[in-house]
Amino acid sequence: MYIPNKIKKIFSKPVTFEDSLRIKPISSQFGFDRGTPIDRYYIEKFLQKHAPQIKGNVLEISESTYSIKFGNQITSFEILHFDDSNRKATIIGDLTDTTTLPENKIDCFICTQTFNFIYEVRKAIAGSYHLLKSGGVLLATVSGLSQISRYDMDRWGDYWRFTDISAKRLFEECFGNANVEIETFGNVLAAKAFLDGLAVEDLPESTLLDAVDKDYQITIGIKAVKKVI
């Protein structure tokens, strides 16, 4: 999902939560134009929990925002991009093509909201495994309940929505059954607010987002460890 470098927060119209028959969202920008998107709240909660694993040679897609924010004893930052248009990129490659990727190089790969937009998702998971050192950790998040990301759809495609069981099976195929942990985030209030494009700041209390109902999976967190060889 594309994240603008600078987000202008707009709170010109307070939310009343009373108009349940509205057919258009309050925001079509995932809440970026109002404050902190609800799925970002969950992504950061997941990464904060696993911050001790964000160490050594750490890789992210396009930028190092989360590596810097949550990193612990990082020795080097790596950035993966699919072409040379990103001057900060240290690895130019395609997750679905292991011939374009270095092998056994990364201690921790932070890959948030990416697999939804890759059609050959099994190959992308294999590419992530290929990048990791023995014992290396993939910290990934994917969307469960979400609107279409129009930015991505119009450029390379928005293909998938996941559940905890589909994510678990996909990643276990590559990493092994004992090496994958799945966590879900979301509840019905959070799902309605997220689909309406509300931001965390629109809610009376952010703690309303913390209740977990596995039937309303907004964000799914995946921790996958490459088997120690």
Side-chain angles (χ1 to χ4, degrees):
M1 183 192 306
Y2 173 68
I3 308 174
N5 291 329
K6 294 183 179 179
I7 304 298
K8 183 178 181 181
K9 298 180 181 180
I10 302 172
F11 296 97
S12 58
K13 187 176 180 180
V15 179
T16 65
F17 300 98
E18 294 175 357
D19 186 3
S20 60
L21 298 180
R22 240 181 325 98
I23 62 171
K24 291 187 177 181
I26 291 172
S27 165
S28 60
Q29 305 300 315
F30 295 93
F32 276 117
D33 52 344
R34 302 183 64 83
T36 306
I38 287 169
D39 65 341
R40 297 291 147 180
Y41 176 86
Y42 291 137
I43 291 164
E44 295 205 3
K45 187 175 182 180
F46 172 74
L47 293 176
Q48 180 65 63
K49 177 180 178 179
H50 295 288
Q53 280 76 52
I54 305 175
K55 61 184 178 180
N57 191 18
V58 179
L59 173 68
E60 269 190 81
I61 304 286
S62 297
E63 56 187 30
S64 295
T65 301
Y66 289 138
S67 302
I68 293 169
K69 184 169 184 176
F70 297 106
N72 177 45
Q73 298 179 344
I74 292 179
T75 56
S76 58
F77 295 95
E78 301 276 2
I79 295 174
L80 172 65
H81 201 72
F82 63 89
D83 62 25
D84 59 5
S85 63
N86 185 340
R87 294 184 179 181
K88 295 181 180 180
T90 59
I91 300 173
I92 306 299
D94 180 349
L95 273 182
T96 67
D97 183 358
T98 55
T99 66
T100 70
L101 303 171
E103 187 174 10
N104 301 322
K105 181 178 176 65
I106 304 300
D107 292 297
C108 179
F109 180 18
I110 299 174
C111 189
T112 58
Q113 310 304 90
T114 299
F115 293 105
N116 295 82
F117 310 114
I118 301 175
Y119 181 72
E120 296 180 302
V121 66
R122 282 185 170 88
K123 288 185 177 180
I125 295 170
S128 302
Y129 185 91
H130 180 86
L131 282 162
L132 292 172
K133 295 178 182 178
S134 175
V137 179
L138 170 67
L139 296 176
T141 62
V142 294
S143 290
L145 290 169
S146 172
Q147 73 178 71
I148 294 295
S149 174
R150 180 49 52 190
Y151 178 92
D152 296 285
M153 179 67 90
D154 290 344
R155 287 160 176 80
W156 34 75
D158 186 345
Y159 296 101
W160 310 111
R161 294 296 178 269
F162 296 89
T163 64
D164 55 347
I165 191 170
S166 65
K168 182 176 177 63
R169 290 188 63 175
L170 280 168
F171 283 85
E172 284 181 347
E173 286 176 3
C174 185
F175 283 84
N177 293 5
N179 301 314
V180 177
E181 297 176 13
I182 304 292
E183 184 173 4
T184 66
F185 301 88
N187 56 60
V188 68
L189 180 149
K192 290 188 290 185
F194 184 50
L195 292 175
D196 229 346
L198 299 185
V200 175
E201 291 82 357
D202 285 315
L203 301 176
E205 295 181 14
S206 63
T207 54
L208 292 169
L209 301 173
D210 294 335
V212 176
D213 184 337
K214 288 193 174 183
D215 290 338
Y216 295 89
Q217 301 177 12
I218 295 175
T219 301
I220 299 158
I222 303 129
K223 176 187 174 184
V225 181
K226 187 171 184 177
K227 185 178 179 180
V228 176
I229 301 172

